[in-house]
Each structure stands twice: as C-alpha cells, then as structure tokens.
Amino acid sequence: MLRKSLALFAIVIPLVLAACGSDDSTSSTTSASDTSSTESTTEASTTASGGSGAGGTVAISETEFKLDPSDPTVKAGSVTFDVSNDGTTTHNLEVEGDGVEEETDDLDAGSSGQLTVDLKPGTYEIYCSIDGHKDLGMEGELTVQ
Ligand SMILES: [Cu+2]
C-alpha cells in the first residue's frame, strides 16, 4: 500500500515540474509541448505588432444614404473612425464583427464624431444603425489587415 502511493508520487512530481517548466522548453519536452511553445511565440509576436502603434484612422463621410468610402482598409490594432455627417439628417456609424459591436453617438447633420476600437485582422460590417438607413444603402465592409 505504502509502496504503491510512493510510486505514484514519483510519477506525479516530475509531471508537475515538467508542466510548470514547459515554457523554458528543456531537453525533456515532448513534441506536444513543442507545439504549445511555438503557438505562444506566434501569439506573442502578434500581440507585439498589435501594441506597437499599428492601426490607424479611417475617415468616413456619411450622407443620404451612403458611406464614403464604403469599403475602407486599415491595419489591425487601435482603429479610430473619424465620422463626419455631411448629410441633412442624423446618422451614426456602427462597427460589427468578430465579437465587436461598437457605435458612435448619433451625429446631427453637419456634426462629426469619433469611435476608437481595437480590431483584429478580418472583415467587419460598418453601417448606420439609425432607422432603416442601413437598408437604404448606408453600409459597407471594413477590411482589417
Ligand atoms: Cu444614417
């Protein structure tokens, strides 16, 4: 009985140590932990590029009933939408996709507003969320690289 639990102990301890030390990948790492350290390296470099001032500003002019430009492209990171309502009625801009759903305040005709969102690479829907404006044509697709 005692010998059995000691043997179990002898197996468990190296496993725990190996799990804790897998980041420093010693010679005892298996192919499984090699994969995970490769993944964390990739993730770290993505985060670094996202936090190194990437992103940018997208200027969008809104009129009845369109966005100009309607299909902008921007680098991933912190993206600021500089929205000006150049129309004659109230508009706004909503950005939606990949778990993101953010919008500017409602902008009176002639006024402007900003919205800053952290965006990962992919495509996002941009549109005016005011009654029916999206269906009237105030929509587009943002590409984040
Ligand atoms: Cu609108």
Side-chain angles (χ1 to χ4, degrees), residues 3 15 35 41 50-51 54 56 58 75 84-85 100 106 108 122 132 138:
R3 280 183 70 183
L15 281 177
T35 306
T41 304
V58 181
K75 285 193 162 56
S84 57
N85 181 352
V100 173
D106 289 354
D108 292 335
M138 296 192 72

Side-chain angles (χ1 to χ4, degrees), residues 6 24 33 40 53 55 58 60 66 71 79 84 88 101-102 109 116 135-137 142:
L6 277 177
D24 302 323
S33 61
S40 64
V58 181
I60 295 179
K66 67 188 183 97
D71 55 353
V79 178
S84 57
T88 56
E101 190 169 357
E102 302 277 350
T116 301
D135 290 337
L136 289 167
L142 171 76

Side-chain angles (χ1 to χ4, degrees), residues 62-65 89-92 128-131 133-134 138:
E62 302 194 296
T63 52
E64 295 75 38
F65 288 94
T89 187
T90 302
H91 296 299
N92 68 14
C128 173
S129 72
I130 292 185
D131 299 340
H133 290 193
K134 180 183 175 185
M138 296 192 72

